[in-house]
Amino acid sequence: DVKVTQSSRYLVKRTGEKVFLECVQDMDHENMFWYRQDPGLGLRLIYFSYDVKMKEKGDIPEGYSVSREKKERFSLILESASTNQTSMYLCASSLENQAHEQYFGPGTRLTVT
Amino acid sequence: GENVEQHPSTLSVQEGDSAVIKCTYSDSASNYFPWYKQELGKRPQLIIDIRSNVGEKKDQRIAVTLNKTAKHFSLHITETQPEDSAVYFCAASHGGYQKVTFGTGTKLQVIP
């Protein structure tokens, strides 16, 4: 059974703070993804990684960076949080040749005040 | 890049009726079309997917159809039940190694 976990379910940060969201998967998946989910906008890809230390920009990378130092862990970093980054953040993972079959984490509801 | 449009944004049906959700995509090179279901407060989960070399796929009460010429695909749920109530996302990708582009979601409500 694939398990994808995220470090926090709820997070409240102040404008300008540096924020780290952590994601860990235990199925040795090569691909990992970060999305944000907003009402009416669906799931929008921020960044993805297909291998350790590799990253690719998604559709909305501005204001975010990522880190993948180990295969099982993929971190999303908000260098200077802003109120428009208040959202639900979802991490996902998949096998390297099955990006259409993703396993999602429970999500982190981030509020920036 | 790929653009996926999904309709309707909300859908209410009586229990036992059928529900249809439609999506269109822009990139003719896309060849994987997964569907995800997200129940309230839960994470999205893959429920079915279809590849471009297949026109239709069924799994119990769920079926997906694909029209490559028109670049649209649909999810059909028959004999709907209250537990089918959720947000459904369609998606498209170029293949197993590529990123997936999601639609904006359809909130399905099944009325008992």
Side-chain angles (χ1 to χ4, degrees):
Chain A
D1 207 23
V2 178
K3 258 204 189 138
V4 181
T5 58
Q6 295 183 227
S7 49
S8 305
R9 291 301 304 270
Y10 300 94
L11 208 53
V12 179
K13 295 292 182 181
R14 293 198 178 274
T15 301
E17 280 193 84
K18 190 168 186 176
V19 181
F20 293 87
L21 303 182
E22 301 280 331
C23 176
V24 177
Q25 50 91 6
D26 67 356
M27 285 303 292
D28 205 34
H29 283 175
E30 289 80 13
N31 296 335
M32 295 190 75
F33 309 83
W34 274 107
Y35 296 90
R36 63 177 283 176
Q37 181 174 17
D38 301 287
L41 298 178
L43 300 167
R44 293 182 292 165
L45 182 65
I46 304 171
Y47 269 96
F48 68 103
S49 168
Y50 52 88
D51 201 352
V52 175
K53 296 192 185 296
M54 306 303 289
K55 62 184 179 184
E56 292 278 346
K57 291 182 179 179
D59 300 315
I60 51 165
E62 297 79 18
Y64 304 94
S65 62
V66 291
S67 171
R68 193 165 181 202
E69 296 296 319
K70 293 185 178 181
K71 189 175 185 180
E72 67 271 17
R73 188 180 298 269
F74 192 34
S75 302
L76 180 68
I77 303 153
L78 287 66
E79 296 288 342
S80 177
S82 64
T83 55
N84 62 11
Q85 292 179 310
T86 291
S87 186
M88 171 67 82
Y89 289 87
L90 288 163
C91 172
S93 71
S94 80
L95 289 169
E96 66 173 327
N97 61 347
Q98 296 188 31
H100 57 286
E101 186 175 342
Q102 295 181 21
Y103 295 85
F104 283 84
T108 296
R109 171 73 64 185
L110 173 67
T111 302
V112 182
T113 62
Chain B
E2 175 66 277
N3 181 47
V4 177
E5 295 192 357
Q6 183 172 349
H7 301 280
S9 56
T10 59
L11 180 60
S12 289
V13 299
Q14 292 290 332
E15 183 177 356
D17 287 350
S18 295
V20 181
I21 301 170
K22 298 182 178 181
C23 292
T24 61
Y25 61 99
S26 61
D27 190 340
S28 56
S30 289
N31 58 1
Y32 282 83
F33 304 93
W35 287 86
Y36 286 78
K37 175 184 180 182
Q38 186 178 29
E39 296 176 14
L40 188 63
K42 302 268 182 79
R43 66 192 78 189
Q45 289 191 300
L46 178 71
I47 55 172
I48 195 168
D49 62 46
I50 190 169
R51 289 188 64 173
S52 59
N53 58 352
V54 175
E56 183 175 4
K57 184 176 179 179
K58 287 184 180 178
D59 183 2
Q60 299 181 346
R61 296 185 296 106
I62 292 174
V64 291
T65 58
L66 171 65
N67 183 326
K68 280 206 73 178
T69 303
K71 295 212 243 347
H72 65 71
F73 56 113
S74 301
L75 177 72
H76 304 252
I77 306 173
T78 58
E79 300 172 17
T80 53
Q81 299 168 6
E83 53 264 36
D84 294 329
S85 295
V87 177
Y88 291 82
F89 294 98
C90 63
S93 76
H94 282 192
Y97 292 90
Q98 303 298 319
K99 69 171 187 171
V100 169
T101 300
F102 285 87
T104 50
T106 296
K107 184 176 182 180
L108 173 64
Q109 181 184 21
V110 179
I111 304 166

